[in-house]
């Protein structure tokens, strides 16, 4: 039987690496798009990538979704069965500083891929997956969020992603392209970028324990997120494209926790006893109650800092993925504590 060909934009990212593993295990030929960077950063996929001169089912090509001729040529040359658009400036906080670039990548980048498919795939055989996000719900009041909830994004990232969500639907309706949105809630893993809260907290507190860093500085501790495991969430991405019709699905665990819960859990797992206090500006900080590692009793180990607060914030995300459960038979199995434990174990191994 002819092997299926997948084209993955964003293969060097957290999800791209897990998705590539999943597709290779399913016997796909996987083309991954990597950006030109001054230092090569393919660490997340090095374990599955063979030398370019060896025969391999994983092939890397240079590309960038801000370059239409590149996107067009890749789709023209590769003729994939499935296209996964995971490419994005994916940091919400950074999107306030790089608003235009975020739009170029997260909005117009998607349009470029959709246009290339519309022009090139006359027989409408290609399937397109768009990495949509719970950020498009913003602070919309009715929770938990499902496929029918109102969209009220509150960041340049969320707004850019909402454009892509609608374009994906528009191209499906107007041109009969098999184009689907996965509206994924936060998902983490040992491969998570180091400036997202889960990984920043874990790495930061391990460094505090080792005496390599005095204190962990964070922003908003009150916001809540529905955190799942990336490995399970990429499985949902694949399932969305295997469904007989194109459609949009919320992918979430259905449980949420605050950032403070996350920090407390990491401290507990590292055996650091602590107590929270407030300073005169109402900013919170945690002090150690025991001597452990290089930490001394009464040392400030976590501190809120104004510069890590965002100009606007999504306060409380929680998803309802009953549609995915019913139609795709997808369900999250790894809970918050298991996820954080796996991430801590992995970072302890590499940092200690
Ligand atoms: P990530 O780790 O930040 O990976 C993003 C990927 O996109 C990287 O491979 C990155 O390349 C690539 N990229 C960035 N700008 C690009 C451009 N202009 N052209 C081509 N590639 C570009 O993000 P992730 O966590 O894997 O998330 C994957 C996708 O799902 C993203 O679209 C994200 O917005 C979305 N999403 C993520 C979550 C989550 O909680 N993780 C939830 C909902 C939706 P470099 O390695 O060169 O930077
Ligand atoms: N990154 C970060 N750094 N976040 C902090 C910090 C800090 O120092 N301090 C507090 N936070 C809070 C943020 O304000 C936010 O409320 C929460 O921690 C989670 O932040 P992130 O881990 O950066 O994730 P996010 O929820 O903003 O965005 C992630 O999930 C989206 C899906 O809901 C990203 O993966 C997006 O790409 C994704 O679409």
């Amino acid at each position: 039987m002819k092997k299926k060909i997948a084209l993955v934009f964003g293969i060097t990212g957290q999800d791209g690496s897990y998705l590539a593993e999943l597709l290779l295990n399913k016997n796909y030929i996987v083309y991954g798009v990597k950006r030109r960077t001054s230092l090569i950063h393919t660490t997340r996929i090095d374990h599955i990538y063979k030398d370019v001169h060896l025969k391999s089912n994983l092939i890397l090509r240079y590309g960038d979704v801000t370059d239409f001729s590149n996107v067009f040529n890749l789709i023209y040359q590769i003729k994939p069965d499935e296209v996964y658009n995971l490419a994005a400036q994916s940091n919400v906080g950074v999107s306030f500083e790089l608003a235009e670039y975020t739009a170029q990548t997260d909005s117009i980048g998607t349009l470029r891929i959709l246009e290339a498919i519309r022009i090139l795939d006359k027989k409408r055989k290609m399937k397109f997956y768009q990495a949509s996000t719970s950020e498009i719900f913003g602070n919309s009041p009715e929770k938990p969020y499902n496929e029918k909830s109102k969209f009220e994004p509150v960041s340049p990232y969320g707004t850019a992603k909402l454009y892509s969500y609608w374009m994906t639907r528009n191209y499906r309706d107007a041109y009969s392209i098999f184009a689907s949105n996965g509206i994924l809630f936060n998902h983490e893993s040992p491969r998570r970028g180091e400036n997202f809260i889960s990984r920043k907290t874990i790495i930061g507190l391990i460094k505090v324990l080792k005496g390599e860093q005095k204190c962990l500085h964070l922003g908003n501790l009150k916001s809540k997120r529905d955190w799942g495991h990336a490995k399970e969430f990429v499985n949902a991405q694949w399932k969305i494209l295997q469904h007989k019709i194109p459609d949009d699905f919320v992918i979430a665990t259905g449980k949420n926790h605050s950032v403070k819960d996350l920090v407390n859990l990491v401290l507990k797992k590292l055996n650091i006893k602590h107590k929270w206090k407030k300073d005169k500006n109402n900013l919170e900080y945690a002090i150690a109650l025991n001597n452990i590692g290089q930490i001394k009793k009464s040392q400030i180990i976590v501190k809120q800092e104004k510069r890590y607060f965002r100009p606007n914030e999504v306060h409380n995300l929680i998803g309802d993925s009953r549609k995915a459960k019913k139609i795709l038979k997808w369900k999250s199995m790894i809970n918050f504590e298991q996820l954080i434990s796996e991430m801590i174990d992995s970072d302890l191994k590499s940092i200690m």
Side-chain angles (χ1 to χ4, degrees), residues 88-92 95 102 106 131 133 135 155-162:
Q89 189 302 93
S90 69
N91 191 300
V92 178
S95 78
T102 302
D106 301 11
T133 163
E135 276 285 312
S155 66
Y157 170 83
T159 308
K161 283 282 190 175
L162 185 54

Side-chain angles (χ1 to χ4, degrees), residues 19-255:
L19 181 67
E21 277 172 13
L22 178 144
L23 294 169
L24 290 170
N25 280 334
K26 293 191 183 295
N27 220 16
Y28 278 64
I29 295 173
V30 179
Y31 284 83
V33 179
K34 65 169 176 181
R35 294 196 287 176
R36 191 268 155 189
T37 44
S38 65
L39 284 174
I40 293 170
H41 64 295
T42 49
T43 32
R44 289 185 177 111
I45 48 170
D46 282 345
H47 63 291
I48 47 172
Y49 182 65
K50 291 198 192 104
D51 187 286
V52 69
H53 302 103
L54 299 174
K55 197 170 159 43
S56 164
N57 283 340
L58 174 60
I59 300 136
L60 295 183
R61 297 283 301 267
Y62 278 109
D64 199 301
V65 295
T66 59
D67 180 337
F68 179 69
S69 64
N70 167 261
V71 169
F72 187 89
N73 271 325
L74 285 170
I75 294 175
Y76 173 72
Q77 289 164 7
I78 295 165
K79 298 184 179 38
D81 298 292
E82 296 172 11
V83 179
Y84 294 85
N85 179 25
L86 311 181
Q89 189 302 93
S90 69
N91 191 300
V92 178
V94 171
S95 78
F96 288 95
E97 291 178 44
L98 289 177
E100 185 187 332
Y101 174 72
T102 302
Q104 275 300 339
T105 305
D106 301 11
S107 296
I108 310 300
T110 310
L111 174 62
R112 292 184 184 102
I113 300 173
L114 284 166
E115 269 295 278
I117 294 175
R118 180 184 73 78
I119 298 164
L120 291 168
D121 179 34
K122 296 277 184 256
K123 292 188 177 155
R124 296 293 179 254
K125 288 207 159 146
M126 270 177 214
K127 293 179 174 183
F128 172 74
Y129 174 84
Q130 169 56 19
S132 190
T133 163
S134 42
E135 276 285 312
I136 64 177
F137 297 116
N139 289 317
S140 173
E142 306 262 315
K143 290 184 211 3
Y145 299 127
N146 62 30
E147 294 77 6
K148 297 199 171 108
S149 298
K150 231 176 128 200
F151 304 129
E152 291 182 15
V154 296
S155 66
Y157 170 83
T159 308
K161 283 282 190 175
L162 185 54
Y163 172 90
S164 287
Y165 167 89
W166 278 116
M167 278 311 213
T168 300
R169 288 189 61 164
N170 287 175
Y171 273 60
R172 173 163 92 212
D173 296 340
Y175 306 117
S176 302
I177 292 174
F178 192 114
S180 300
N181 286 292
I183 310 173
L184 272 54
F185 283 62
N186 298 50
H187 45 281
E188 321 291 306
S189 74
R191 298 183 199 166
R192 184 59 144 154
E194 294 179 11
N195 54 3
F196 294 95
I197 191 69
S198 58
R199 202 75 203 292
K200 179 177 170 178
T201 303
I202 292 168
I203 293 176
L205 288 176
I206 293 176
K207 286 189 172 169
V208 172
L209 195 60
K210 282 189 74 187
E212 287 177 10
Q213 188 175 318
K214 265 261 158 281
C215 173
L216 169 68
H217 297 274
L218 297 177
N220 186 1
L221 298 175
K222 286 197 184 125
S223 55
K224 288 184 163 182
R225 292 291 182 270
D226 179 334
W227 279 295
H229 198 303
K231 204 168 187 170
E232 292 188 329
F233 280 46
V234 301
N235 189 30
Q237 297 174 351
W238 176 76
K239 277 178 172 264
I240 287 171
L241 287 201
Q242 309 319 306
H243 184 43
K244 53 185 181 307
I245 52 163
D247 203 350
D248 309 316
F249 294 90
V250 160
I251 302 296
T253 72
K255 296 209 167 64

Side-chain angles (χ1 to χ4, degrees), residues 248-284:
D248 309 316
F249 294 90
V250 160
I251 302 296
T253 72
K255 296 209 167 64
N256 68 359
H257 303 268
S258 69
V259 172
K260 199 170 181 179
D261 293 337
L262 167 74
V263 178
N264 285 335
L265 179 61
V266 178
L267 285 165
K268 186 173 157 212
K269 297 260 170 208
L270 295 175
N271 296 316
I272 308 170
K273 296 197 171 40
H274 67 287
K275 188 173 164 185
W276 288 98
K277 295 190 164 193
K278 277 190 184 165
D279 69 12
K280 59 180 186 321
N281 297 316
N282 225 18
L283 292 173
E284 294 194 72

